[in-house]
Coordinates of all heavy atoms in Angstrom, one line a residue:
M1 N 17.8 15.6 44.7 CA 16.9 15.2 43.5 C 17.0 16.2 42.4 O 17.0 17.3 42.5 CB 15.5 15.1 44.1 CG 14.5 14.8 43.1 SD 12.8 14.8 43.8 CE 11.9 14.9 42.2
I2 N 17.1 15.5 41.2 CA 17.2 16.4 40.1 C 15.8 16.5 39.4 O 15.2 15.5 39.1 CB 18.2 15.8 39.0 CG1 19.6 15.7 39.6 CG2 18.3 16.7 37.7 CD1 20.5 14.9 38.8
R3 N 15.5 17.8 39.3 CA 14.1 18.0 38.6 C 14.4 18.3 37.1 O 15.2 19.3 36.8 CB 13.4 19.1 39.3 CG 12.0 19.3 38.8 CD 11.1 20.0 39.9 NE 9.8 20.4 39.3 CZ 9.7 21.6 38.7 NH1 10.6 22.5 38.9 NH2 8.4 21.9 38.3
R4 N 13.8 17.6 36.2 CA 14.0 17.8 34.9 C 12.8 18.5 34.3 O 11.7 18.1 34.5 CB 14.2 16.4 34.1 CG 15.4 15.7 34.8 CD 15.5 14.4 34.1 NE 16.1 14.5 32.7 CZ 16.2 13.5 31.9 NH1 15.9 12.2 32.2 NH2 16.7 13.7 30.7
V5 N 13.2 19.6 33.7 CA 12.0 20.4 33.0 C 12.2 20.1 31.5 O 13.3 20.4 30.9 CB 12.2 21.9 33.3 CG1 11.0 22.6 32.6 CG2 12.1 22.1 34.8
F6 N 11.1 19.7 30.8 CA 11.1 19.4 29.4 C 10.3 20.6 28.8 O 9.2 20.8 29.2 CB 10.5 18.1 29.1 CG 11.2 17.0 29.6 CD1 10.8 16.4 30.8 CD2 12.4 16.4 28.9 CE1 11.6 15.3 31.3 CE2 13.1 15.3 29.4 CZ 12.7 14.7 30.6
R7 N 11.0 21.2 27.9 CA 10.2 22.2 27.1 C 9.3 21.5 26.1 O 9.7 20.4 25.6 CB 11.2 23.3 26.5 CG 11.7 23.0 25.2 CD 12.8 23.9 24.8 NE 13.8 23.2 23.9 CZ 13.6 23.2 22.6 NH1 12.6 24.0 22.0 NH2 14.4 22.7 21.9
Y8 N 8.2 22.1 25.7 CA 7.3 21.4 24.8 C 7.9 21.5 23.4 O 8.2 22.7 22.9 CB 5.9 22.1 24.9 CG 5.0 21.5 23.8 CD1 4.4 20.3 24.1 CD2 4.8 22.2 22.7 CE1 3.6 19.8 23.1 CE2 3.8 21.6 21.8 CZ 3.3 20.5 22.0 OH 2.5 19.9 21.1
V9 N 8.0 20.4 22.9 CA 8.4 20.4 21.4 C 7.3 19.7 20.6 O 7.0 18.6 21.0 CB 9.8 19.5 21.2 CG1 10.3 19.5 19.8 CG2 10.9 20.1 22.1
P10 N 6.8 20.4 19.6 CA 5.8 19.9 18.8 C 6.3 18.8 17.8 O 6.4 19.0 16.6 CB 5.2 21.1 18.2 CG 6.3 22.0 17.9 CD 7.2 21.7 19.2
F11 N 6.6 17.6 18.3 CA 7.0 16.5 17.4 C 6.0 16.2 16.6 O 4.6 16.2 16.8 CB 7.3 15.3 18.3 CG 8.5 15.4 19.0 CD1 8.6 15.8 20.4 CD2 9.7 15.0 18.4 CE1 9.7 15.8 21.1 CE2 11.0 15.1 19.2 CZ 10.9 15.5 20.6
T12 N 6.3 15.8 15.3 CA 5.4 15.1 14.5 C 5.6 13.7 14.4 O 6.8 13.1 14.6 CB 5.5 15.6 13.0 OG1 6.8 15.5 12.5 CG2 5.1 17.1 12.9
I13 N 4.7 12.8 14.2 CA 4.8 11.4 14.3 C 4.7 10.8 12.8 O 3.7 11.1 12.1 CB 3.7 10.7 15.2 CG1 3.9 11.4 16.5 CG2 3.9 9.2 15.2 CD1 2.8 10.9 17.5
E14 N 5.7 10.2 12.4 CA 5.7 9.6 11.1 C 6.0 8.1 11.1 O 6.6 7.7 12.0 CB 6.9 10.4 10.2 CG 6.6 11.9 10.1 CD 7.9 12.6 9.5 OE1 8.7 11.7 9.0 OE2 7.9 13.6 9.4
Q15 N 5.5 7.5 10.0 CA 5.8 6.2 9.8 C 7.2 6.0 9.5 O 7.8 6.8 8.6 CB 4.9 5.4 8.8 CG 5.1 4.0 8.7 CD 4.2 3.4 7.5 OE1 4.2 3.8 6.4 NE2 3.5 2.4 7.9
D16 N 8.0 5.2 10.1 CA 9.4 4.8 9.8 C 9.5 4.1 8.4 O 9.1 3.0 8.3 CB 10.0 3.9 10.9 CG 11.5 3.8 10.7 OD1 12.0 4.3 9.7 OD2 12.2 3.2 11.6
Q17 N 10.1 4.9 7.4 CA 10.1 4.4 6.1 C 11.2 3.3 6.0 O 11.3 2.7 5.0 CB 10.3 5.5 5.1 CG 9.3 6.5 5.2 CD 7.9 6.0 4.7 OE1 7.8 5.1 4.0 NE2 6.8 6.6 5.2
T18 N 12.1 3.2 7.0 CA 13.2 2.4 6.9 C 12.8 1.0 7.3 O 13.6 -0.1 7.3 CB 14.4 2.8 7.7 OG1 14.0 2.8 9.0 CG2 14.8 4.2 7.3
A19 N 11.6 0.8 7.9 CA 11.1 -0.6 8.5 C 9.9 -0.8 7.8 O 8.9 -0.1 7.7 CB 11.0 -0.4 10.0
E20 N 9.8 -2.1 7.3 CA 8.6 -2.5 6.6 C 7.5 -2.7 7.6 O 7.7 -3.3 8.7 CB 8.8 -3.7 5.9 CG 9.6 -3.5 4.6 CD 9.7 -4.7 3.6 OE1 9.7 -5.8 4.3 OE2 9.9 -4.5 2.4
P21 N 6.2 -2.4 7.3 CA 5.1 -2.7 8.2 C 4.8 -4.3 8.1 O 5.4 -4.9 7.2 CB 3.9 -2.0 7.5 CG 4.3 -1.6 6.1 CD 5.8 -1.6 6.1
E22 N 4.2 -4.8 9.1 CA 4.1 -6.2 9.2 C 2.5 -6.6 9.3 O 1.8 -6.0 10.0 CB 4.8 -6.7 10.5 CG 6.2 -6.4 10.5 CD 6.9 -6.7 12.0 OE1 6.1 -6.9 12.9 OE2 8.1 -6.7 12.0
Y23 N 2.2 -7.4 8.4 CA 0.9 -7.9 8.3 C 0.9 -9.4 8.6 O 1.6 -10.2 8.0 CB 0.3 -7.7 6.8 CG 0.1 -6.3 6.4 CD1 1.1 -5.6 5.9 CD2 -1.2 -5.7 6.5 CE1 1.0 -4.2 5.5 CE2 -1.4 -4.5 6.1 CZ -0.3 -3.7 5.7 OH -0.5 -2.3 5.3
A24 N -0.1 -9.9 9.5 CA -0.2 -11.3 9.7 C -1.5 -11.5 10.1 O -2.4 -10.7 10.6 CB 0.8 -11.6 10.9
V25 N -2.0 -12.9 10.0 CA -3.3 -13.2 10.4 C -3.3 -14.7 11.1 O -2.3 -15.5 10.7 CB -4.3 -13.2 9.1 CG1 -4.1 -14.4 8.3 CG2 -5.6 -13.0 9.6
R26 N -4.1 -14.8 12.0 CA -4.2 -16.1 12.7 C -5.6 -16.6 12.7 O -6.6 -15.9 12.9 CB -3.7 -16.0 14.1 CG -3.5 -17.4 14.9 CD -3.1 -17.2 16.3 NE -4.2 -16.8 17.1 CZ -4.3 -15.7 17.8 NH1 -3.3 -14.8 17.8 NH2 -5.2 -15.4 18.7
C27 N -5.9 -17.9 12.3 CA -7.2 -18.4 12.3 C -7.7 -18.7 13.7 O -7.0 -19.4 14.4 CB -7.2 -19.7 11.5 SG -8.8 -20.5 11.3
V28 N -8.8 -18.1 14.0 CA -9.3 -18.3 15.4 C -10.7 -19.1 15.3 O -11.5 -19.0 16.2 CB -9.5 -17.0 16.1 CG1 -8.2 -16.3 16.4 CG2 -10.4 -16.0 15.3
S29 N -10.9 -19.8 14.3 CA -12.0 -20.5 14.1 C -12.0 -21.8 15.0 O -10.8 -22.3 15.3 CB -12.3 -21.0 12.6 OG -12.4 -19.9 11.8
G30 N -13.2 -22.3 15.3 CA -13.1 -23.5 16.2 C -14.0 -23.4 17.3 O -14.3 -22.3 17.8
D31 N -14.7 -24.5 17.8 CA -15.6 -24.5 18.9 C -14.9 -24.4 20.2 O -15.1 -23.4 21.0 CB -16.6 -25.7 18.8 CG -17.4 -25.6 17.6 OD1 -17.7 -24.5 17.1 OD2 -17.7 -26.7 16.9
D32 N -14.1 -25.4 20.6 CA -13.5 -25.4 21.9 C -12.2 -24.7 21.9 O -11.9 -23.7 22.6 CB -13.3 -26.9 22.3 CG -14.7 -27.6 22.5 OD1 -15.6 -27.0 22.9 OD2 -14.7 -28.8 22.2
A33 N -11.3 -25.2 21.0 CA -10.0 -24.6 20.8 C -9.8 -23.9 19.5 O -10.3 -24.4 18.5 CB -8.9 -25.5 21.1
E34 N -9.2 -22.7 19.5 CA -9.1 -22.1 18.2 C -8.1 -22.9 17.2 O -7.2 -23.5 17.8 CB -8.7 -20.7 18.2 CG -7.5 -20.4 18.9 CD -7.2 -18.9 19.1 OE1 -8.3 -18.2 19.5 OE2 -6.1 -18.5 18.9
C35 N -8.3 -22.8 16.0 CA -7.5 -23.5 15.1 C -5.9 -23.1 15.2 O -5.1 -23.9 15.3 CB -7.9 -23.3 13.6 SG -6.8 -23.6 12.4
G36 N -5.7 -21.8 15.2 CA -4.3 -21.3 15.6 C -3.5 -21.3 14.4 O -2.3 -20.9 14.5
A37 N -3.8 -21.7 13.2 CA -3.0 -21.7 12.0 C -2.6 -20.3 11.8 O -3.4 -19.3 11.8 CB -3.7 -22.2 10.8
E38 N -1.4 -20.0 11.3 CA -0.9 -18.6 11.2 C -0.3 -18.4 9.7 O 0.3 -19.3 9.1 CB 0.3 -18.3 12.2 CG -0.3 -18.1 13.6 CD 0.8 -18.0 14.6 OE1 1.9 -18.2 14.3 OE2 0.4 -17.5 15.7
S39 N -0.6 -17.2 9.2 CA -0.1 -16.9 7.9 C 1.4 -16.7 7.8 O 1.9 -16.7 6.7 CB -0.8 -15.7 7.3 OG -0.5 -14.5 8.2
G40 N 1.9 -16.3 9.0 CA 3.3 -15.8 8.9 C 3.3 -14.3 8.7 O 2.2 -13.8 8.4
T41 N 4.4 -13.6 8.8 CA 4.4 -12.1 8.7 C 4.8 -11.8 7.3 O 5.7 -12.3 6.8 CB 5.4 -11.5 9.8 OG1 5.0 -12.0 11.0 CG2 5.4 -10.0 9.7
H42 N 4.1 -10.8 6.7 CA 4.3 -10.2 5.4 C 4.4 -8.8 5.4 O 3.8 -8.1 6.4 CB 3.3 -10.7 4.5 CG 3.2 -12.3 4.3 ND1 3.9 -12.9 3.4 CD2 2.4 -13.1 5.0 CE1 3.6 -14.2 3.6 NE2 2.7 -14.4 4.5
S43 N 4.9 -8.2 4.5 CA 5.1 -6.7 4.4 C 3.9 -6.0 3.6 O 3.9 -4.9 3.5 CB 6.4 -6.3 3.7 OG 6.4 -6.8 2.3
G44 N 2.9 -6.8 3.3 CA 1.8 -6.2 2.7 C 0.6 -7.2 2.9 O 0.7 -8.3 3.3
P45 N -0.7 -6.6 2.7 CA -1.9 -7.4 3.0 C -2.2 -8.5 1.9 O -2.8 -9.4 2.3 CB -2.9 -6.3 3.0 CG -2.5 -5.3 2.2 CD -1.0 -5.3 2.3
G46 N -1.7 -8.4 0.8 CA -2.0 -9.2 -0.3 C -1.7 -10.7 0.0 O -2.7 -11.6 -0.1
P47 N -0.4 -11.1 0.4 CA -0.2 -12.5 0.6 C -1.0 -13.0 1.9 O -1.3 -14.2 1.9 CB 1.4 -12.5 1.0 CG 1.9 -11.2 0.5 CD 0.8 -10.2 0.5
V48 N -1.3 -12.2 2.8 CA -2.1 -12.5 4.0 C -3.4 -12.9 3.6 O -4.0 -13.9 4.1 CB -2.0 -11.4 5.0 CG1 -3.0 -11.8 6.2 CG2 -0.6 -11.2 5.6
E49 N -4.1 -12.1 2.7 CA -5.4 -12.5 2.3 C -5.5 -13.6 1.4 O -6.4 -14.4 1.5 CB -6.0 -11.2 1.5 CG -6.3 -10.0 2.4 CD -6.7 -8.7 1.7 OE1 -6.9 -8.8 0.4 OE2 -7.0 -7.8 2.4
E50 N -4.5 -13.8 0.7 CA -4.3 -15.0 -0.3 C -4.3 -16.3 0.7 O -4.9 -17.2 0.4 CB -3.1 -14.9 -1.0 CG -3.1 -15.7 -2.3 CD -1.8 -15.3 -3.1 OE1 -1.7 -14.3 -3.5 OE2 -1.0 -16.2 -3.3
W51 N -3.5 -16.2 1.8 CA -3.4 -17.3 2.7 C -4.8 -17.7 3.3 O -5.1 -18.8 3.5 CB -2.4 -17.0 3.8 CG -2.1 -18.1 4.8 CD1 -1.4 -19.1 4.8 CD2 -2.9 -18.2 6.0 NE1 -1.5 -20.0 5.9 CE2 -2.5 -19.4 6.6 CE3 -3.9 -17.4 6.6 CZ2 -3.0 -19.9 7.8 CZ3 -4.5 -17.9 7.9 CH2 -3.9 -19.1 8.5
Q52 N -5.5 -16.5 3.6 CA -6.8 -16.7 4.4 C -7.8 -17.4 3.4 O -8.5 -18.4 3.8 CB -7.4 -15.3 4.6 CG -7.0 -14.7 6.0 CD -7.7 -13.4 6.1 OE1 -7.0 -12.3 5.8 NE2 -8.9 -13.4 6.6
R53 N -7.8 -17.0 2.2 CA -8.6 -17.6 1.2 C -8.4 -19.1 1.0 O -9.2 -20.0 0.9 CB -8.6 -17.0 -0.2 CG -9.1 -15.6 -0.3 CD -9.1 -15.0 -1.7 NE -8.7 -13.6 -1.7 CZ -9.7 -12.7 -1.4 NH1 -10.9 -13.0 -1.2 NH2 -9.4 -11.4 -1.3
K54 N -7.1 -19.4 0.9 CA -6.6 -20.8 0.7 C -7.0 -21.7 2.1 O -7.5 -22.7 1.9 CB -5.1 -20.8 0.6 CG -4.5 -22.0 0.2 CD -3.1 -22.0 -0.5 CE -2.3 -23.2 -0.7 NZ -1.5 -23.5 0.7
H55 N -6.8 -21.0 3.2 CA -7.0 -21.6 4.4 C -8.6 -21.9 4.6 O -9.0 -23.1 5.0 CB -6.6 -21.0 5.6 CG -6.6 -21.6 7.0 ND1 -5.8 -22.7 7.3 CD2 -7.5 -21.6 8.0 CE1 -6.2 -23.2 8.5 NE2 -7.2 -22.4 8.9
T56 N -9.4 -21.1 4.2 CA -10.8 -21.2 4.3 C -11.3 -22.3 3.3 O -12.1 -23.1 3.6 CB -11.5 -19.9 3.9 OG1 -11.2 -18.9 5.0 CG2 -13.0 -20.1 3.9
Q57 N -10.7 -22.3 2.1 CA -11.0 -23.3 1.1 C -10.7 -24.7 1.6 O -11.4 -25.7 1.4 CB -10.3 -23.0 -0.1 CG -11.3 -22.8 -1.4 CD -10.6 -22.2 -2.5 OE1 -9.5 -22.5 -2.9 NE2 -11.3 -21.2 -3.2
E58 N -9.5 -24.8 2.2 CA -9.1 -26.1 2.6 C -9.8 -26.6 4.0 O -10.0 -27.8 4.2 CB -7.7 -26.1 3.0 CG -6.7 -25.9 1.7 CD -5.2 -25.7 2.0 OE1 -4.9 -25.4 3.3 OE2 -4.4 -25.7 1.1
T59 N -10.2 -25.6 4.8 CA -10.7 -26.2 6.2 C -12.1 -25.6 6.5 O -12.7 -26.2 7.3 CB -9.9 -25.5 7.3 OG1 -9.9 -24.1 7.2 CG2 -8.3 -26.0 7.1
G60 N -12.6 -24.8 5.7 CA -14.0 -24.2 6.0 C -13.9 -23.1 7.1 O -15.0 -22.6 7.4
H61 N -12.7 -22.9 7.7 CA -12.7 -21.9 8.7 C -12.9 -20.5 8.2 O -12.5 -20.1 7.1 CB -11.3 -22.0 9.4 CG -11.1 -23.2 10.1 ND1 -9.8 -23.7 10.5 CD2 -11.9 -24.2 10.5 CE1 -10.0 -24.9 11.1 NE2 -11.2 -25.2 11.2
R62 N -13.7 -19.7 9.0 CA -14.1 -18.3 8.4 C -13.7 -17.1 9.3 O -14.0 -16.0 9.0 CB -15.5 -18.3 8.0 CG -15.8 -19.2 6.9 CD -17.2 -18.9 6.5 NE -17.7 -19.8 5.5 CZ -18.9 -19.8 5.0 NH1 -19.8 -18.7 5.4 NH2 -19.3 -20.5 4.1
R63 N -13.1 -17.4 10.5 CA -12.9 -16.3 11.4 C -11.3 -16.1 11.7 O -10.7 -17.1 12.0 CB -13.6 -16.5 12.7 CG -13.8 -15.3 13.6 CD -14.9 -15.5 14.5 NE -14.9 -14.1 15.3 CZ -14.2 -14.2 16.5 NH1 -13.6 -15.2 17.0 NH2 -14.2 -13.0 17.2
Y64 N -10.9 -15.0 11.6 CA -9.4 -14.7 11.7 C -9.1 -13.5 12.6 O -10.0 -12.5 12.7 CB -8.8 -14.4 10.2 CG -8.9 -15.7 9.3 CD1 -10.0 -15.8 8.6 CD2 -7.9 -16.6 9.3 CE1 -10.1 -16.9 7.7 CE2 -8.0 -17.7 8.4 CZ -9.1 -17.8 7.7 OH -9.2 -18.9 6.8
R65 N -8.0 -13.5 13.2 CA -7.6 -12.4 13.9 C -6.4 -11.8 13.1 O -5.4 -12.4 12.8 CB -7.0 -12.9 15.3 CG -6.1 -11.9 15.9 CD -6.6 -11.2 17.1 NE -5.5 -10.3 17.7 CZ -5.7 -9.0 18.0 NH1 -6.9 -8.4 17.7 NH2 -4.7 -8.3 18.4
R66 N -6.6 -10.5 12.8 CA -5.6 -9.8 11.9 C -4.7 -9.0 12.8 O -5.2 -8.3 13.7 CB -6.3 -8.9 10.9 CG -7.2 -9.7 10.0 CD -7.4 -9.1 8.7 NE -8.3 -7.9 8.9 CZ -8.7 -7.2 7.8 NH1 -8.4 -7.5 6.6 NH2 -9.5 -6.2 7.9
N67 N -3.5 -9.0 12.5 CA -2.5 -8.2 13.2 C -1.7 -7.3 12.2 O -1.2 -7.8 11.1 CB -1.4 -9.1 13.9 CG -2.0 -9.6 15.2 OD1 -2.5 -8.9 16.0 ND2 -1.8 -11.0 15.3
F68 N -1.6 -6.0 12.5 CA -0.9 -5.1 11.7 C 0.0 -4.3 12.7 O -0.3 -3.9 13.8 CB -1.9 -4.0 11.0 CG -1.1 -3.0 10.3 CD1 -0.3 -3.2 9.2 CD2 -1.0 -1.7 10.9 CE1 0.5 -2.2 8.6 CE2 -0.3 -0.7 10.4 CZ 0.4 -0.9 9.1
G69 N 1.3 -4.2 12.3 CA 2.2 -3.4 13.2 C 3.1 -2.6 12.2 O 3.4 -3.0 11.1
D70 N 3.4 -1.4 12.6 CA 4.4 -0.7 11.9 C 5.3 0.1 12.9 O 5.0 0.0 14.1 CB 3.8 0.2 10.9 CG 3.0 1.4 11.4 OD1 2.8 1.4 12.6 OD2 2.6 2.3 10.7
Y71 N 6.2 0.8 12.4 CA 7.1 1.6 13.3 C 6.9 3.1 13.2 O 6.7 3.6 11.9 CB 8.6 1.3 13.0 CG 8.9 -0.2 13.3 CD1 8.6 -1.1 12.4 CD2 9.4 -0.6 14.5 CE1 8.9 -2.5 12.7 CE2 9.7 -1.9 14.7 CZ 9.4 -2.8 13.9 OH 9.7 -4.2 14.2
A72 N 6.9 3.8 14.2 CA 6.7 5.3 14.2 C 7.9 6.0 14.7 O 8.6 5.6 15.6 CB 5.5 5.6 15.0
V73 N 8.2 7.2 14.1 CA 9.4 8.0 14.4 C 8.8 9.3 14.9 O 7.9 10.0 14.3 CB 10.3 8.2 13.2 CG1 11.5 8.9 13.6 CG2 10.7 6.8 12.7
M74 N 9.4 9.8 16.1 CA 9.0 11.1 16.5 C 10.0 12.2 15.9 O 11.2 12.0 16.0 CB 9.1 11.3 18.0 CG 8.3 10.1 18.7 SD 6.5 10.4 18.5 CE 6.2 11.9 19.4
R75 N 9.5 13.2 15.2 CA 10.5 14.1 14.5 C 10.1 15.4 15.1 O 9.1 16.0 15.0 CB 10.2 14.1 13.0 CG 11.4 14.7 12.3 CD 11.0 14.6 10.8 NE 10.9 13.3 10.3 CZ 11.9 12.5 10.1 NH1 13.0 12.8 10.3 NH2 11.6 11.2 9.5
P76 N 11.4 16.0 15.6 CA 11.3 17.4 16.1 C 11.2 18.4 14.8 O 11.6 18.0 13.8 CB 12.6 17.7 16.9 CG 13.5 16.7 16.4 CD 12.6 15.5 15.8
P77 N 10.6 19.5 15.1 CA 10.2 20.4 13.9 C 11.4 20.9 13.1 O 11.3 21.1 12.0 CB 9.4 21.6 14.6 CG 9.8 21.5 16.0 CD 10.0 20.1 16.3
A78 N 12.5 21.0 13.8 CA 13.8 21.6 13.1 C 14.4 20.6 12.1 O 15.0 21.0 11.2 CB 14.8 21.9 14.1
E79 N 14.2 19.3 12.4 CA 14.8 18.3 11.6 C 14.1 18.0 10.3 O 12.9 17.8 10.3 CB 14.8 16.9 12.4 CG 15.7 15.9 11.8 CD 15.7 14.6 12.8 OE1 15.7 14.8 14.0 OE2 15.9 13.6 12.3
P80 N 14.7 18.2 9.2 CA 14.1 17.9 7.9 C 13.7 16.4 7.7 O 14.3 15.5 8.3 CB 15.1 18.3 6.8 CG 16.4 18.2 7.6 CD 16.1 18.5 9.1
A81 N 12.6 16.2 7.0 CA 12.1 14.8 6.8 C 13.1 14.1 6.0 O 13.8 14.6 5.2 CB 10.7 15.0 6.1
G82 N 13.1 12.7 6.2 CA 13.8 12.0 5.2 C 15.1 11.4 5.9 O 15.8 10.6 5.3
L83 N 15.4 12.0 7.1 CA 16.7 11.5 7.7 C 16.4 10.3 8.5 O 15.3 10.1 9.1 CB 17.2 12.6 8.7 CG 17.7 13.9 8.0 CD1 18.2 14.8 9.1 CD2 18.9 13.5 7.1
T84 N 17.4 9.4 8.6 CA 17.3 8.2 9.4 C 17.3 8.7 11.0 O 18.2 9.5 11.2 CB 18.4 7.3 9.1 OG1 18.4 7.1 7.7 CG2 18.2 6.0 9.8
P85 N 16.5 8.2 11.7 CA 16.6 8.6 13.1 C 17.9 8.2 13.8 O 18.4 7.2 13.5 CB 15.4 7.9 13.7 CG 15.1 6.8 12.8 CD 15.5 7.2 11.4
A86 N 18.5 9.2 14.5 CA 19.8 9.0 15.1 C 19.7 8.0 16.3 O 18.6 8.0 16.9 CB 20.4 10.3 15.6
G87 N 20.7 7.3 16.6 CA 20.8 6.5 17.7 C 20.0 5.0 17.5 O 19.7 4.4 18.5
G88 N 19.6 4.8 16.3 CA 18.7 3.6 16.1 C 19.7 2.4 16.0 O 20.8 2.5 15.7
G89 N 19.3 1.3 16.5 CA 20.1 0.2 16.3 C 20.0 -0.6 15.1 O 19.4 0.1 14.1
T90 N 20.5 -1.7 14.9 CA 20.2 -2.5 13.7 C 19.0 -3.3 13.8 O 18.7 -3.6 14.8 CB 21.4 -3.4 13.5 OG1 21.5 -4.3 14.6 CG2 22.8 -2.7 13.2
T91 N 18.3 -3.4 12.6 CA 17.1 -4.1 12.6 C 17.1 -5.2 11.7 O 17.8 -5.1 10.6 CB 15.9 -3.1 12.3 OG1 16.3 -2.3 11.2 CG2 15.4 -2.2 13.4
Ligands
ZN101 ZN1 -8.2 -22.7 10.7

């Protein structure tokens, strides 16, 4: 059995600037079943909110589930900021 010892490295956690954050919203209005209409994924909140206003105007639906996602990179202290993380695949 191989015992692996990891020394403590004070990584900093940064948002991955090479990947766009993802904003999306889904309409969850409805009594029995939720409406389920989706805004699609956008790189900013603006188009998502615009879609919500339009959907509410068209349907009267007022309750939404918002989703936000972004990518985080662990950076060891020695590595200067701004470098693309090594070993990353294509996105
Ligand atoms: Zn709806």
Side-chain angles (χ1 to χ4, degrees):
M1 182 184 160
I2 300 170
R3 188 157 169 266
R4 304 177 72 183
V5 178
F6 297 96
R7 83 192 156 90
Y8 177 75
V9 181
F11 286 95
T12 55
I13 303 175
E14 298 173 4
Q15 187 181 52
D16 185 355
Q17 300 296 331
T18 64
E20 287 189 329
E22 296 169 354
Y23 295 80
V25 80
R26 188 181 78 241
C27 179
V28 295
S29 302
D31 295 326
D32 298 326
E34 64 185 40
C35 165
E38 290 176 344
S39 68
T41 303
H42 300 272
S43 59
V48 172
E49 289 175 3
E50 204 172 298
W51 179 89
Q52 273 179 266
R53 288 181 215 285
K54 191 158 161 277
H55 186 73
T56 294
Q57 241 164 39
E58 288 170 352
T59 62
H61 294 165
R62 290 192 186 182
R63 195 157 177 272
Y64 296 88
R65 155 113 179 126
R66 300 204 288 186
N67 281 310
F68 169 76
D70 67 351
Y71 296 83
V73 182
M74 307 298 290
R75 194 181 302 285
E79 193 178 323
L83 290 181
T84 310
T90 52
T91 41

